[in-house]
Amino acid sequence: MNRYPSIEIPFNNRNQCWFCGEPKDKVINFPKYSSEESLITHAPICVPSCNECASIVQRTAFSSLFAYRDAIKKALTVKHQKTLGIGSNWTKQELAESELEGSAFEGFKRSAWFMFEMIQTRLNYQGWELRVNNDKLYLEQENEAFDFDGTTYVNLDSAIIYAIKTFHLDEQLFTRVLSVIGKDKFGQAIRLCRLHPQLTSKNREGVFLDILQSIGL
């Protein structure tokens, strides 16, 4: 269900995912949870997405749609690193002229460069200008520094990544708790989540609700 206004879509992009340019499958809300609206630097919106881009990043609490897009690109790079490696190990001509033999290798020669170029194109895709009701989406202080525990981070997203790695936090739990209690209580969010470092999708929701209950929410 769309909770927010949808971005305007140019005619030539009407069937594309805003994140990677592939055919769109759905329209997603950003932010994912209404409790995250106070964390983002622009108005909440809905954008078209393919299924892969909509599901490849599990964490939330991004400061902007652009920060979310960067996380999607990183996740796509990791997922498709073998395909991207084709471009590092071969040129198109070298692959075509290679002396690989056998039916499996012949299939590889025919499709490998095409797959490499397809993934590369998706990663390089930047989407179109964001407009809602003919007004350009305005981002306030996209790179606003964030201070925590005596350290100044480039932005909130950098602090989140640092906290998850340093304190061995469950990424999805921490970012969701943070989205509810707010970035001003960053340290409290860490303390609440440190006791639950590795959760399954089955018990994560229960732990999340228990945490909210423990702080009276």
Side-chain angles (χ1 to χ4, degrees), residues 34-47:
S34 57
S35 59
E36 299 174 14
E37 292 175 15
S38 62
L39 298 179
I40 63 175
T41 59
H42 56 76
I45 51 176
C46 287
V47 294

Side-chain angles (χ1 to χ4, degrees), residues 17-195:
C17 167
W18 184 82
F19 300 101
C20 74
E22 283 289 286
K24 71 173 183 180
D25 295 302
K26 60 177 64 177
V27 175
I28 63 171
N29 293 298
F30 183 84
K32 183 176 182 179
Y33 301 107
S34 57
S35 59
E36 299 174 14
E37 292 175 15
S38 62
L39 298 179
I40 63 175
T41 59
H42 56 76
I45 51 176
C46 287
V47 294
S49 175
C50 66
N51 283 330
E52 185 173 35
C53 287
S55 61
I56 197 168
V57 175
Q58 298 301 310
R59 59 157 282 204
T60 57
F62 291 98
S63 59
S64 74
L65 183 67
F66 298 102
Y68 180 45
R69 180 181 64 186
D70 289 345
I72 288 175
K73 302 288 189 180
K74 290 178 182 177
L76 288 173
T77 299
V78 172
K79 180 178 179 179
H80 298 289
Q81 57 184 333
K82 289 185 178 179
T83 301
L84 291 169
I86 294 169
S88 300
N89 298 319
W90 308 80
T91 65
K92 186 176 183 179
Q93 183 176 351
E94 287 173 343
L95 187 60
E97 296 176 351
S98 64
E99 297 180 354
L100 299 174
E101 298 180 352
S103 58
F105 287 121
E106 285 299 321
F108 174 77
K109 287 171 63 174
R110 287 194 300 270
S111 63
W113 195 258
F114 168 77
M115 295 298 296
F116 163 70
E117 289 186 322
M118 182 179 70
I119 296 300
Q120 186 182 55
T121 298
R122 292 180 68 192
L123 292 175
N124 291 337
Y125 187 80
Q126 294 299 308
W128 54 91
E129 184 179 69
L130 296 174
R131 287 184 173 273
V132 176
N133 296 325
N134 207 34
D135 292 326
K136 184 177 179 180
L137 193 68
Y138 180 67
L139 276 68
E140 298 179 354
Q141 298 176 309
E142 168 66 9
N143 292 317
E144 181 181 7
F146 181 77
D147 294 319
F148 169 66
D149 201 24
T151 300
T152 299
Y153 298 88
V154 174
N155 51 35
L156 175 62
D157 297 301
S158 297
I160 288 173
I161 293 171
Y162 169 81
I164 290 170
K165 291 182 178 180
T166 302
F167 300 105
H168 307 289
L169 306 175
D170 181 88
E171 184 178 56
Q172 294 180 58
L173 177 67
F174 174 63
T175 52
R176 194 169 177 193
V177 169
L178 182 66
S179 72
V180 173
I181 68 175
K183 61 183 179 181
D184 293 338
K185 297 181 179 179
F186 195 87
Q188 182 183 8
I190 291 175
R191 291 191 295 273
L192 290 169
C193 297
R194 286 188 73 174
L195 297 176

